[in-house]
Amino acid sequence: MTTIFQAISNSAKRIKVAIDTKDIGYSQEQNASGETQLQLDIQCDLIIEEELSKMPSIHTIASEEKEHPMVLHPKGRFYVAFDPLDGSSLIDVNLSVGSIFGIYDGAFESSRIVAACYVVYGPRVEMVFAEEGKARLYLLQEGEFEMVKEMRMEEKGKINAPGGTQQNWPTYHKTMIDGLFNEGYRLRYSGGMVPDLHQILLKKGGLFSYPGTSDKPEGKLRKLFEVFPFAYIFECAGGAAIDGKGRLLELDTRDVHDTAPCFFGSHYEIETVRRCYAHT
Ligand code: F6P
């Protein structure tokens, strides 16, 4: 796992440079030499592919940017799924974005996730790496990721981060979200899964929800690259993650790009979701 941590750290440092210095979303434009520039999220995908390829322990990778999984080392053990630049449309407006990684042992299945990680590219670059029941926060300082602390959530938080378009929410979901606001929860939602969940983890509680909606009954967020890694991280940090009823980490996956409705938070809020969704 140390080598995978290293590969992710190296990717994150290179992605930070790409974000700071390269084309920011003007895809298909030509650079000074007349070459077509790659979109930033494709550049980030290639950076991660290159760094992970150096690790013989990695059997296969799957990326949000690639249609199919790619075998790297047939004798390797780990399967790594990643979203190279989640929330990339927020780059144009200079909000925080992130990379997400799920590390699976032997196959892309929720029950086989053995570590997960995300990197936040904000005013500072931070990384959270979770394994063996612990989620640790690292800060990029002078070119290296230094461990800051172990992250532990409390029983209940104050933040409500409701994803999706309200007019497409089921009525019971709206009632639940309104109920939390009526209890005093504060709205905190940037539209980037990584910074929005990072905030809940660092503030030690709250709820992030992305429900099934009338236009997307299976939700928007992808199981292998977004949902399972964050479910694993929340559980390691003492929180919980469900699809409304059951643990996200017990869901099946048929296709690498499958999505699921998802709720991440501290225990009080997740119990609130369970009660609301029990009748559905
Ligand atoms: O996966 C893409 C993403 O940008 C996530 O980072 C974010 O949580 C979500 O979509 C936001 O979706 P919406 O704008 O529908 O709330």
Side-chain angles (χ1 to χ4, degrees):
M1 205 54 75
T2 318
T3 55
I4 297 181
F5 179 92
Q6 207 48 55
I8 292 176
S9 307
N10 293 342
S11 308
K13 291 178 209 167
R14 290 178 61 189
I15 289 173
K16 168 66 177 153
V17 173
I19 291 172
D20 286 351
T21 57
K22 300 267 170 69
D23 162 44
I24 47 169
Y26 309 112
S27 65
Q28 310 314 321
E29 291 210 344
Q30 299 202 325
N31 64 16
S33 340
E35 298 159 328
T36 301
Q37 297 212 354
L38 288 176
Q39 239 178 357
L40 189 58
D41 34 20
I42 307 289
Q43 288 179 31
C44 296
D45 183 52
L46 294 176
I47 288 172
I48 296 173
E49 179 189 323
E50 197 179 299
E51 293 297 335
L52 295 180
S53 303
K54 296 176 189 164
M55 304 299 158
S57 62
I58 300 178
H59 187 290
T60 297
I61 56 172
S63 162
E64 213 245 353
E65 297 296 335
K66 300 184 199 301
E67 202 178 333
H68 302 292
M70 177 191 278
V71 175
L72 295 182
H73 303 287
K75 293 204 171 120
R77 168 172 174 187
F78 297 109
Y79 283 52
V80 182
F82 57 91
D83 185 348
L85 199 61
D86 188 70
S88 53
S89 61
L90 299 176
I91 294 260
D92 292 354
V93 291
N94 205 17
L95 288 176
S96 298
V97 291
S99 305
I100 313 169
F101 302 83
I103 298 134
Y104 301 82
D105 192 354
F108 288 124
E109 289 169 20
S110 60
S111 60
R112 288 175 177 257
I113 192 162
V114 288
C117 172
Y118 65 84
V119 182
V120 195
Y121 311 98
R124 296 188 297 233
V125 179
E126 295 186 339
M127 171 163 80
V128 171
F129 197 95
E131 60 176 329
E132 294 172 354
K134 294 199 186 311
R136 297 185 180 91
L137 173 69
Y138 297 79
L139 174 64
L140 183 63
Q141 274 179 315
E142 294 170 17
E144 290 308 323
F145 280 101
E146 305 285 344
M147 220 268 265
V148 178
K149 62 176 178 184
E150 194 188 317
M151 300 175 92
R152 279 321 282 174
M153 297 183 73
E154 289 172 358
E155 196 53 30
K156 182 177 186 306
K158 297 179 181 148
I159 295 174
N160 192 5
T165 308
Q166 288 202 30
Q167 67 178 10
N168 300 328
W169 289 351
T171 319
Y172 51 85
H173 181 79
K174 177 153 174 49
T175 306
M176 181 193 77
I177 296 294
D178 289 347
L180 288 173
F181 284 131
N182 291 339
E183 280 183 47
Y185 281 76
R186 281 183 238 141
L187 174 66
R188 292 289 182 271
Y189 191 75
S190 75
M193 185 182 195
V194 174
D196 286 336
L197 285 172
H198 189 54
Q199 179 163 209
I200 290 172
L201 282 163
L202 278 174
K203 302 283 186 198
K204 303 186 173 185
L207 178 70
F208 174 97
S209 47
Y210 206 107
T213 52
S214 54
D215 56 334
K216 294 187 182 97
E218 291 308 313
K220 174 184 185 187
L221 302 175
R222 315 225 177 170
K223 289 179 180 170
L224 290 181
F225 321 114
E226 298 171 309
V227 174
F228 295 159
F230 269 113
Y232 185 84
I233 291 166
F234 266 69
E235 289 191 0
C236 285
I242 62 172
D243 67 352
K245 296 187 171 186
R247 268 179 88 223
L248 287 166
L249 290 180
E250 288 173 13
L251 294 180
D252 292 337
T253 312
R254 283 183 304 277
D255 180 84
V256 285
H257 294 280
D258 274 0
T259 59
C262 50
F263 303 82
F264 307 88
S266 28
H267 285 283
Y268 174 84
E269 294 81 3
I270 292 295
E271 280 317 308
T272 305
V273 175
R274 264 189 222 282
R275 276 199 305 280
C276 165
Y277 275 72
H279 71 278
T280 62

